[in-house]
Amino acid sequence: MEQTKIKKVLVTGGIGYIGSHTVIELIEADYEVIIIDNLVNSSLVCLERVKAIVSKPENITFEEVDLRDATRLSQVFHEYLPDAVIHFAALKAVGESVAKPLDYYENNVGGTINLLKSMNLYKCNMIVFSSSACVYGDNPYASETDRLAPINPYGMTKVMCEQIIQDYSNTNKNFAAVILRYFNPIGAHSSGMIGEDPKDIPNNLMPYLQKVASGQLPHLNVFGKDYDTVDGTGVRDYIHVVDLAQGHIVALDKQEQLQGYHVFNLGTGNGTSVLQLATAFEKAFETEMKKVMCDRRPGDAPKSTACADKVFNELGWKAKLDIDDMCRDSANWTKKNPNGFHAQP
Ligand code: NAD
Ligand code: WQD
């Protein structure tokens, strides 16, 4: 790679849940950030809060751009000439991806192709891409070299984007591509000013717990009670969103050794069951929640955890925060913002 220190980072989807936490870490690590987002699943209130949290808000620029708009995207590259891209922007609801597969392929895969074309045109030679544990399908302890077997269109978009990025990186010897396969991000910034705020009724466990604890949903449906796990409920590798965000900074900082194509799991390696997470969240929120034991959710794996050895051995990254930290910060965000980024009704 032509070695110029990365300074300007374009962050797609940078006011979404993981993107906003990463922008904070980028600014504190002295990067300049250009965010692009089409606001399909985010709010400008989040951007205002991020600017209020960081030490140098003047280093954040926001452009409302849809990745599917190749002309507009290329104008942004022309104007800012970023040194690297962190690519979060995607649609991410598994059920919706089954109902609207074309929208998911168009947005996630089409958006990634547009992005790579602009990067190629403007000689931007590093991408960090948000992939997901769901590329592994049903795999209780996944390593990066394991077989990819997604079971829904959302997961397939991630596999396709990984492949496209790999093929593109093979054509450009100066290119560095880092694929980060996130396990289950939860938690929030310690300020309680930003956190996860899904627009509809949540599908994922932590945002659902947040809604039950704040009285907006009556009870937690526990999907599956007879798995071969510690207490019969599904086990996942939850990771604090701030640990995850810091993983991206480590990748940018190590650009010298990351020329070529690299894949890393970002997880803790530890499994937590649905009931264990619910109990930890109840403690953090100082409440008790009604739980209704239900049938298994179709397509769910009994257990999904990461082998996180590679990212530690090669990049020196390791998650620092535990389940109680995650629940404390999710509870703090929810107590302070029961309606997320929306004003109280
Ligand atoms: P999010 O929905 O909060 O953030 C995604 C952001 O991208 C949103 O702000 C949305 O408005 C924007 N966006 C979507 N399509 C766009 C487009 N065409 N043009 C411009 N902006 C667009 O999601 P998140 O949880 O922050 O996830 C970030 C990334 O991490 C996604 O790629 C997601 O697939 C991946 N991921 C998330 C999880 C998770 O559980 N949250 C797990 C694994 C991987
Ligand atoms: C965790 C556990 C559920 C909700 C999904 C996507 C994956 C990734 C993360 C982006 C499971 C149980 C859940 C509820 C419950 N996203 N559960 N009651 O299924 O690991 O992964 O989100 O890439 O692609 O598939 O996460 O939070 O939905 O579920 O009992 O109301 O909680 O059955 O065991 P999952 P999740």
Side-chain angles (χ1 to χ4, degrees):
M1 177 185 282
E2 289 154 9
Q3 292 302 340
T4 45
K5 166 112 179 72
I6 290 173
K7 187 71 195 145
K8 269 194 255 178
V9 184
L10 183 111
V11 182
T12 78
I15 50 178
Y17 172 48
I18 305 170
S20 55
H21 289 81
T22 305
V23 167
I24 293 172
E25 300 302 318
L26 282 167
I27 296 295
E28 298 318 321
D30 222 18
Y31 289 98
E32 287 169 32
V33 173
I34 304 106
I35 296 174
I36 62 173
D37 202 301
N38 68 355
L39 305 178
V40 67
N41 196 35
S42 52
S43 156
L44 288 173
V45 178
C46 177
L47 178 63
E48 286 164 24
R49 302 256 181 109
V50 167
K51 285 186 172 176
I53 291 168
V54 296
S55 54
K56 293 182 189 161
E58 65 278 12
N59 285 354
I60 301 176
T61 309
F62 172 68
E63 296 284 353
E64 188 174 335
V65 177
D66 191 316
L67 279 181
R68 290 167 299 179
D69 183 348
T71 309
R72 188 71 192 93
L73 185 60
S74 133
Q75 283 166 356
V76 170
F77 273 82
H78 181 77
E79 184 171 352
Y80 297 101
L81 294 174
D83 305 309
V85 170
I86 305 182
H87 180 26
F88 293 107
L91 299 174
K92 63 163 187 178
V94 168
E96 189 183 57
S97 80
V98 176
K100 300 178 181 171
L102 301 183
D103 289 355
Y104 271 66
Y105 288 114
E106 180 187 41
N107 194 76
N108 296 3
V109 181
T112 300
I113 292 172
N114 286 344
L115 186 63
L116 291 168
K117 282 189 166 176
S118 276
M119 291 179 75
N120 184 42
L121 201 58
Y122 290 96
K123 300 192 169 30
C124 176
N125 278 336
M126 182 168 193
I127 190 167
V128 180
F129 174 68
S130 301
S131 190
S132 166
C134 70
V135 299
Y136 296 115
D138 184 356
N139 184 333
Y141 183 65
S143 293
E144 289 83 351
T145 49
D146 287 353
R147 195 172 74 92
L148 303 186
I151 57 159
N152 51 62
Y154 165 71
M156 186 54 82
T157 69
K158 292 296 176 190
V159 172
M160 290 168 102
C161 288
E162 289 191 5
Q163 185 66 52
I164 290 165
I165 293 168
Q166 181 172 22
D167 291 343
Y168 174 68
S169 70
N170 287 338
T171 69
N172 179 350
K173 67 177 173 41
N174 293 321
F175 201 71
V178 179
I179 306 296
L180 299 179
R181 293 180 181 153
Y182 313 151
F183 278 66
N184 289 60
I186 59 171
H189 190 259
S190 57
S191 63
M193 289 170 67
I194 63 167
E196 186 166 17
D197 178 25
K199 284 205 163 152
D200 301 315
I201 294 187
N203 299 305
N204 298 121
L205 181 56
M206 178 52 84
Y208 206 96
L209 287 170
Q210 293 174 181
K211 294 263 182 219
V212 178
S214 56
Q216 296 170 61
L217 289 169
H219 59 261
L220 173 69
N221 296 307
V222 178
F223 299 138
K225 52 184 182 301
D226 55 357
Y227 287 118
D228 184 15
T229 59
V230 59
D231 54 19
T233 66
V235 167
R236 295 291 181 271
D237 187 337
Y238 297 98
I239 172 168
H240 197 296
V241 67
V242 173
D243 272 331
L244 193 71
Q246 288 168 355
H248 297 72
I249 314 302
V250 171
L252 287 185
D253 288 347
K254 301 244 166 160
Q255 59 147 329
E256 288 90 352
Q257 70 191 65
L258 288 171
Q259 193 176 348
Y261 178 81
H262 305 266
V263 181
F264 299 104
N265 288 339
L266 288 189
T268 64
N270 303 317
T272 303
S273 76
V274 175
L275 290 179
Q276 286 171 333
L277 189 72
T279 303
F281 189 71
E282 285 177 323
K283 191 171 131 220
F285 206 93
E286 297 171 310
T287 188
E288 276 191 26
M289 275 180 264
K290 185 175 172 199
K291 297 164 206 88
V292 176
M293 305 307 285
C294 307
D295 290 341
R296 296 177 177 193
R297 188 169 66 176
D300 266 355
K303 180 177 178 190
S304 162
T305 63
C307 171
D309 295 347
K310 187 180 175 205
V311 68
F312 180 66
N313 293 336
E314 295 187 17
L315 300 185
W317 176 91
K318 194 176 190 315
K320 299 186 191 94
L321 301 167
D322 66 15
I323 285 289
D324 289 332
D325 299 317
M326 301 177 213
C327 289
R328 177 199 63 223
D329 292 335
S330 287
N332 183 37
W333 151 250
T334 308
K335 281 190 173 176
K336 288 183 174 159
N337 305 273
N339 297 301
F341 292 113
H342 303 278
Q344 308 283 347

